[in-house]
Amino acid sequence: MTDTETKGGSDLRPDAMAYAEREGLDFIRAIVAEDLRAGKYETIVTRFPPEPNGYLHIGHAKAILLSYGIAAETGGRFNLRFDDTNPETEDVHYVQSITDSVRWLGADFGDEPLFAADYFGQMYDFAEYLVRQGLAYVDSSTDEEIREARGTVTEPGRPTRYRDRPVEENLDLFRRMRAGEFPDGAHVLRAKIDLASKNMLLRDPLIYRIRHAHHYRTGDAWCIYPLYDYAHPVEDAIEGITHSLCSLEFDNNRAVYDWVIDHWQDYVRGQGGTPARPHQYEFARGELEYTITSKRKSLQLVKGGYVSGWDDPRMATLAGLRRRGVTPEALRNFWDRMGVAKFNSRIDIGKLEFAIRDDLNTRAPRVLCVLRPLKVTITNYPEGQTEELDAPFWPHDVPKEGSRPLPFSRTVYIDRDDFMEMPSKGFHRLSPGAEVRLRYAYVIRCDHVVKDDDGQIMELRCSYDPATRGGGTPDGRQVKGTIQWVSAEHGIPCEVRLYDRLFTVPDPEAEEGDFKDHLNPDSLVVVQGAVIEPGVRDDAPGSRYQFERVGYFCSDVVESRPDALVFNRTVTLRDAWARAAEKGAAGSGPKPEKKPKAERAASEAPKPRSKAPAPDVQRSPELEARRARYAGELGLPAEEADLLSRELATSELFEAALAVGAPAKAVANWVIHELPREQGGRTTENLPFSGRELGELAALVEDGTVSVTGARQVLAEMVKNGGEPRDLVASLGLQQVSDPGALAPIVDQVLAANPAKADEYRAGKTGLLGFFVGQVMRQSGGNANPALVSQLVQERLGG
């Protein structure tokens, strides 16, 4: 076995590392690319092997998208295989849920998933082979005796009295185990490897156990079941997996994996076959803040009534995220931005929320909804009259068209939060004697406040200016505030569920005491009696919207009906937790929602102790002014403005890049997303280049001189050694090719070399577009304009 094989191929040769850097590949994709370049495999085959005993969570999405993405990018194959070797905890319900979630993510695994249980016969035959070769033995020791004999990290293991049983006796006992002669726990089958190994997993691991339990797929056909360290590599070998990707906690298991695979190859060759040689590679999981993904602890939340179920929208399960309204595209973009690393880390949940907002901004049409209705009677509007206003679904910065008729009448509802009887400084909404603009409608003025006997405000009586239809003011007067509203006559009552982060601390499992003590008591607030515009009544469950000035929402796929609409908040319009931290609001997270007639979910569950996120942003007046300018004058999203102004060095880098003339949005992307991937442990102050060079690099991308992929390579070189971006583009040979005449022959060559895949694309497998683009990019040395390549490929394939 070579060193590379021993290490799972995690180390690349210098020339391969240079290629990976040049292509902008993560270390896993770099390994795959090197294997293809070296001719090690004709087809890349990857897999995702969940055990069907629970629901998938957001961390699983990373593993699925990585394995599937590599297979799709290389024109390979991706398998969904259920590792169903534990009959006591597995169920067909989980099979269905996991299958549905993987399909929802867009990972194409063919017509049907695969099952480890279908390989039980082959696994058993191979185990008999190991026994006959003296590589496995039946151990009749108790569990405690086996544990004690394994030794410790400082002391080697020692053989039990059964380790040297004759092969014939082992084979007889193993066959009788298979026949069901023995009760659970009477015997186990162990691999005979190395009791003195420093890796304790190699000290004769268990590979079969007796379990008289009904299996959801095989029934009672088996009473012995293989363990993970044995079953996993055999399953991979049977399926011809080339790159077996798993998370870092399986790093030590790789030695057992390789032992099993090596002997599997001998076994298959002995039968005259040609064995596959899978390799295991590990990557960092990426833990998300303010969540838990532990199956055991998630089960406590479900069984304890702290959440409504596995698909509760506050859960980190894919079922929960889906019900909350998160799209698979948002998850793909999020994990793509996070990259693939070799070291575990915790990820700011704000980055996930940013990806969700970024996705929904161009996906969710705008509608009007009032959460806490306050009646407004427009006294000078004709009684009994209704008019329809043309209201666009999309703002000007979203390149989509479409509008809907919005009914307007004498009585409307506004949100109670948009009226203040004694307005504070800076309040630009409605107050006595003041004007406000009703979105898409008219400017109104509050003339009178109606209260009940207890002094509670029940109604506002206002007048409108007929000349301001559509919101303009022909006389030029300034009306600073614009608020949402709904016609009282036409609006539809609905229930709105305001979901928030499930925990009040970033890492609830690391805190003292019970993790449930840190549950956020305001993680769900149910608002009854909200009113929404009528056009959404017949939309399909799961439809997504932006409630203007409120947040992104979707209609609940489980409980919403046309006669009883229910909407789930997917994400707020801005990061309320970051704003709370900016204010240094110790002892509180985001301000709890105010709501008469609102209920807290799980009110009968044990009341968790509230503990807020620690404030982590204290800005100087200069940085606060910059944050406001970034969000206002430069038009950056609030989250980006926040990140760019948290530290002086980052802000100075951004300012210097802007001075070159590069677009603010492009520079923000390089500072926030691209630079952190490359700088490693270096601080911004110690980078060997300034904001000027970063701005020039962004400008080169914008004018088409270099592709984004090429620019990433330039940035990597800049972080290492500095340099002028334009000179580096030239010296590295990264000038982007945007000439159709130059690219067309390469496209034709790639299509001619892959006629079967071209036919599959024409037959409807359009996911192969990425394969063709990738092949052209490789042929061009990564310098082709990918958008132009995509266009040329589609033109030739009729797409």
Side-chain angles (χ1 to χ4, degrees), residues 112-126:
E112 296 293 336
L114 304 174
F115 298 86
D118 294 346
Y119 309 142
F120 281 172
Q122 291 165 274
M123 291 185 198
Y124 176 81
D125 290 343
F126 177 47

Side-chain angles (χ1 to χ4, degrees), residues 306-336:
Y306 297 93
V307 294
S308 61
W310 289 99
D311 67 344
D312 187 299
R314 293 166 292 179
M315 295 283 277
T317 59
L318 295 186
L321 290 165
R322 185 177 181 180
R323 186 174 177 186
R324 188 161 177 162
V326 177
T327 69
E329 292 82 2
L331 292 181
R332 289 201 292 267
N333 291 338
F334 166 67
W335 282 122
D336 182 60

Side-chain angles (χ1 to χ4, degrees), residues 473-506:
T473 51
D475 59 4
R477 72 185 186 274
Q478 276 198 337
V479 179
K480 293 186 177 180
T482 300
I483 63 175
Q484 77 271 25
W485 56 276
V486 175
S487 168
E489 180 182 348
H490 303 90
I492 304 172
C494 60
E495 177 181 302
V496 177
R497 298 172 180 175
L498 302 174
Y499 289 103
D500 204 345
R501 299 175 184 180
L502 187 55
F503 292 93
T504 60
V505 292

Side-chain angles (χ1 to χ4, degrees), residues 376 378 430 434-436 438 442-446 462-464:
V376 173
I378 304 173
L430 196 59
E435 289 186 317
V436 75
L438 297 181
Y442 297 95
V443 172
I444 64 171
R445 182 185 69 242
C446 178
C462 302
S463 54
Y464 86 116

Side-chain angles (χ1 to χ4, degrees), residues 630-649:
Y630 298 162
E633 179 183 333
L634 300 184
L636 296 178
E639 293 81 8
E640 293 187 359
D642 170 64
L643 292 170
L644 292 168
S645 60
R646 289 190 176 194
E647 297 177 351
L648 181 61

Side-chain angles (χ1 to χ4, degrees), residues 46 164 198 277 302 416 503 527 531 547 553 569 743 748 752 763:
T46 62
D164 295 323
K198 292 182 179 180
R277 190 20 169 126
V302 173
R416 287 185 175 273
F503 292 93
V527 180
V531 182
F547 291 178
F553 291 78
R569 182 168 68 188
L743 293 177
D748 293 338

